[in-house]
Amino acid sequence: MLTRIDHIGIACFDLDRTVEFYRATYGFEVFHSEINEEQGVREAMLKINETSDGGASYLQLLEPTREDSAVGKWLAKNGEGVHHIAFGTEDVDGDAAAIGEKGVRVLYDEPRTGSMGSRITFLHPKDCHGVLTELVTSRADH
């Protein structure tokens, strides 16, 4: 069962400049940052609030580390902006399977490692009214 909006992913050309905008404009601070080599991104997670299920909601700022990454290709085509929405779930495997049974294409056969050690998969935007949708099971200590 989907429990919350885990994060909104925002693609950007300059992560440091974008982080500074969100810090100076809204007071959001970086909760976590990392480089995800597999996905070819450098990212910063800005915590917005805690949630009733013990999770949190974030803005995820994404800068490609290579042009051929999914985010790099998306930026070249679309420019900066909202890249995806992610919903939190306790069971990414089960929810992905259940959603897939409803005719929505799940992009990964098996969930992959995402931010902060989470497990993630994506749903095809053409099956979700043009929105790239991520399902996330957070690591227990985050």
Side-chain angles (χ1 to χ4, degrees):
M1 177 174 89
L2 305 181
T3 58
R4 68 185 180 284
I5 295 175
D6 185 85
H7 67 270
I8 306 293
I10 300 171
C12 61
F13 291 111
D14 184 330
L15 184 65
D16 296 327
R17 195 178 91 214
T18 306
V19 164
E20 179 55 25
F21 167 81
Y22 280 96
R23 189 202 59 72
T25 305
Y26 305 115
F28 299 153
E29 297 293 338
V30 174
F31 177 78
H32 176 83
S33 62
E34 68 182 79
I35 295 174
N36 185 319
E37 296 291 348
E38 179 183 3
Q39 294 181 22
V41 294
R42 181 174 159 239
E43 65 178 80
M45 297 292 274
L46 311 179
K47 186 185 272 189
I48 307 307
N49 66 326
E50 304 290 333
T51 61
S52 62
D53 67 355
S57 292
Y58 302 90
L59 286 180
Q60 179 187 44
L61 306 179
L62 300 159
E63 174 189 65
T65 58
R66 56 182 197 269
E67 291 179 13
D68 69 338
S69 70
V71 173
K73 291 175 185 175
W74 190 90
L75 268 171
K77 181 179 177 183
N78 300 293
E80 293 184 308
V82 174
H83 180 262
H84 67 274
I85 185 169
F87 294 108
T89 173
E90 292 180 4
D91 181 10
V92 69
D93 300 271
D95 283 336
I99 291 169
E101 289 173 4
K102 295 175 182 176
V104 174
R105 286 173 281 179
V106 178
L107 298 183
Y108 302 154
D109 291 333
E110 294 290 326
R112 296 182 183 179
T113 301
S115 299
M116 300 183 287
S118 63
R119 297 186 71 241
I120 65 166
T121 195
F122 285 90
L123 308 177
H124 200 292
K126 289 186 179 178
D127 299 340
C128 299
H129 297 272
V131 178
L132 179 61
T133 303
E134 182 179 4
L135 304 179
V136 178
T137 296
S138 298
R139 200 172 77 191
D141 62 346
H142 284 285

